[in-house]
Amino acid sequence: MTRMPTYFISHGGGPWPWIENMRRQFAALETSLAAMPDELPEKPKAVLMISGHWEADGVRVMHAAQPPMLYDYYNFPPHTYEVVYPAPGAPEIAERAQALLDAAGIPATLDDTRGFDHGTFVPAAVIYPDADVPVFQVSMLSSYDPEAHFRIGRALAPLRDEGVLIVGSGLSYHNLREFGPQAEVPSKAFDAWLNEVLDLDPETRTDKLIHWEQAPHARTCHAEEDHLVPLFAALGAAEGGTATRVYHEDGIMGGVTASSWRFD
C-alpha cells in the first residue's frame, strides 16, 4: 500500500453543485476537487473527512455502515434538501481510527447516528460522484485548540499507509457576516500568509499555525475558526510533508480569496 497524501480543501458555500448559478461561481473549485482522484497513488479504501461542520466536546468518529444525510444549511432551494450522497460508511476503519486516537491519549467515541454534513457530502460528491468509496467523519473538538488538532492528525497519520485519504474540509476564509467586497482585502492577506507559512520548514510551519491569530486579519477572516481547524488536523497527519496549493481563486462569494492544499 502506497502512502496517501492529505488535503485541506476550501469546500465552497452550501449545496453549490446543485444550484446552477452557484456551480458556475465555483467552477474552478469543482475542477480542483474532480482532479483529486488522479493526484492519488491509488484508489483509497476510504475517505476520512474532518469537516468544519462537526464539532463536539470530545472526539467522535462516525461509525454507521450507511450514514444518513444531514442538511445543515439554511434558506436554499427545496431540491437541495433531497440530495442523497449514498456512499457507504467505513465502520471497521472507524474502529481503527478510534483505536489510534485512544492509543495517543485522545479519548474518542464511536457515533452510530451522525450523518454526512455538507462539509463532507458536497466535496465528496464532486471528488467521487459515483459514491463508490466509503466515507466517514472524525469530529473537531469544540475547543478549536490548534495543538489538540495537530495531535489528532498525528494520531491518525498511520491510516495514510493503510489506504485512507484524510481530508480537512473547511474554508481558508469564513466569516458569515463579512462576505462580499469587504472580504477582499482581509481574505487576500490571510490567504497569502497561509501560503507563505505552509511553504516553511515543518517545525516553523507548525508553530506559526498554532499561533495563527497573529496572522494579518486573522480574526476578521475567522471570527470563529471552525473552518480553519480542519487544516491543523490534515497537516498534523502529514506534518513533515510538502505543501502544494491545488486550488486558488479570487473574488468568489463577492470578494473572497480562497485556497486548498495537498500535503505529501
Side-chain angles (χ1 to χ4, degrees), residues 37-87:
D38 291 333
E39 297 168 0
L40 304 178
E42 57 198 29
K43 191 172 185 176
K45 287 184 178 178
V47 177
L48 186 169
M49 286 267 195
I50 300 156
S51 164
H53 293 277
W54 189 19
E55 59 191 59
D57 290 340
V59 179
R60 302 187 71 83
V61 182
M62 181 184 286
H63 188 240
Q66 195 66 57
M69 301 293 291
L70 178 58
Y71 304 109
D72 56 337
Y73 39 72
Y74 307 95
N75 298 319
F76 285 96
H79 74 272
T80 64
Y81 298 89
E82 299 174 359
V83 170
V84 174
Y85 185 66

Side-chain angles (χ1 to χ4, degrees), residues 169-185:
S169 178
L171 203 61
S172 57
Y173 173 94
H174 191 259
N175 184 335
L176 292 176
R177 296 183 179 181
E178 298 270 346
F179 283 122
Q182 63 268 39
E184 181 177 354
V185 170

Side-chain angles (χ1 to χ4, degrees), residues 59-63 91 94-98 108-113:
V59 179
R60 302 187 71 83
V61 182
M62 181 184 286
H63 188 240
E95 292 166 11
R96 168 70 171 145
Q98 181 200 34
T109 304
L110 296 175
D111 189 315
D112 289 292
T113 61

Side-chain angles (χ1 to χ4, degrees), residues 71-236:
Y71 304 109
D72 56 337
Y73 39 72
Y74 307 95
N75 298 319
F76 285 96
H79 74 272
T80 64
Y81 298 89
E82 299 174 359
V83 170
V84 174
Y85 185 66
E92 292 184 4
I93 299 175
E95 292 166 11
R96 168 70 171 145
Q98 181 200 34
L100 288 168
L101 290 161
D102 285 344
I106 303 169
T109 304
L110 296 175
D111 189 315
D112 289 292
T113 61
R114 175 75 182 189
F116 293 141
D117 61 57
H118 80 273
T120 291
F121 76 77
V122 169
V126 180
I127 300 166
Y128 289 110
D130 295 332
D132 57 348
V133 175
V135 177
F136 72 107
Q137 295 184 226
V138 171
S139 77
M140 302 181 296
L141 294 169
S142 54
S143 68
Y144 299 149
D145 180 69
E147 291 184 87
H149 289 89
F150 269 100
R151 289 196 295 272
I152 289 168
R154 292 175 194 132
L156 296 171
L159 294 175
R160 296 177 58 204
D161 294 317
E162 299 169 21
V164 178
L165 175 64
I166 298 174
V167 179
S169 178
L171 203 61
S172 57
Y173 173 94
H174 191 259
N175 184 335
L176 292 176
R177 296 183 179 181
E178 298 270 346
F179 283 122
Q182 63 268 39
E184 181 177 354
V185 170
S187 67
K188 190 170 290 189
F190 187 77
D191 191 272
W193 178 86
L194 268 181
N195 198 52
E196 180 180 326
V197 165
L198 289 170
D199 202 36
L200 297 173
D201 67 273
E203 184 176 351
T204 304
R205 176 174 65 189
T206 296
D207 181 68
K208 285 188 175 291
L209 288 171
I210 286 172
H211 298 98
W212 70 273
E213 289 178 273
Q214 298 174 9
H217 303 282
R219 278 298 175 190
T220 300
C221 295
H222 294 280
E224 289 190 16
E225 57 266 42
D226 49 351
H227 277 57
L228 182 66
V229 165
L231 168 62
F232 307 144
L235 185 55

